Amino acid sequence: MNYCDISVGQKASLTKTFTDEDVRKFAEVSLDVNPLHLDDEYAKTTIFGKRIAHGVLTCGLISAVLANKLPGQGTIYLGQEVRFSAPVYLGDTITAECTVTEKRDDKKIIKLDTVCTNQDGKVVVSGVATVKHD
């Protein structure tokens, strides 16, 4: 998709169910081995009562939408404001949706509202992404 083909209000999304394997692989790659993500017994003692996925792993779905769908191939991620509003538990199905809110034609910069919701429609992550796309 070319910059000129992108319009304010345009949306794209994708959905993924987070598994134990996803969380363990992310922990291995990121080095974030917080027992809240990896240890069932420890997680039972926390406010969540069970293991949760890494917040940044959930944000990865936003990156996937930006890179693969809107704006798509060639997108350069410049920044992300993010708010974690609810936990993502193993087995949750998360939908990341990005909506174009602003375009800056002189630099080909695009701002998008970003939101991740779980299978019950509850917002788990929200924010604003800033990208460049030629």
Side-chain angles (χ1 to χ4, degrees):
M1 182 177 304
N2 293 320
Y3 177 86
C4 61
D5 298 325
I6 298 166
S7 58
V8 171
Q10 195 169 353
K11 297 179 182 190
S13 65
L14 68 85
T15 301
K16 175 174 178 44
T17 301
F18 285 101
T19 66
D20 175 68
E21 182 180 7
D22 295 327
V23 170
R24 291 189 184 282
K25 283 181 178 178
F26 186 80
E28 182 180 341
V29 171
S30 69
L31 304 180
D32 180 349
V33 295
N34 185 332
L36 178 59
H37 306 302
L38 303 173
D39 183 326
D40 288 317
E41 292 306 311
Y42 175 83
K44 285 179 189 176
T45 69
T46 70
I47 61 171
F48 302 112
K50 57 185 175 178
R51 289 172 50 209
I52 62 171
H54 302 74
V56 176
L57 174 58
T58 306
C59 288
L61 291 181
I62 295 167
S63 180
V65 173
L66 298 173
N68 300 320
K69 295 191 171 199
L70 179 68
Q73 187 176 359
T75 296
I76 301 168
Y77 217 148
L78 299 176
Q80 176 75 48
E81 297 172 26
V82 66
R83 181 172 185 270
F84 301 102
S85 52
V88 173
Y89 297 103
L90 278 62
D92 278 358
T93 300
I94 305 300
T95 299
E97 183 175 79
C98 299
T99 305
V100 177
T101 58
E102 184 180 325
K103 290 178 66 180
R104 183 174 167 189
D105 295 338
D106 63 326
K107 296 198 179 226
K108 295 187 177 177
I109 292 175
I110 303 165
K111 287 202 174 193
L112 304 97
D113 279 341
T114 58
V115 64
C116 295
T117 54
N118 68 15
Q119 63 279 354
D120 299 320
K122 183 172 187 159
V123 174
V124 296
V125 174
S126 60
V128 176
T130 304
V131 301
K132 181 173 177 56
H133 189 74
D134 289 327

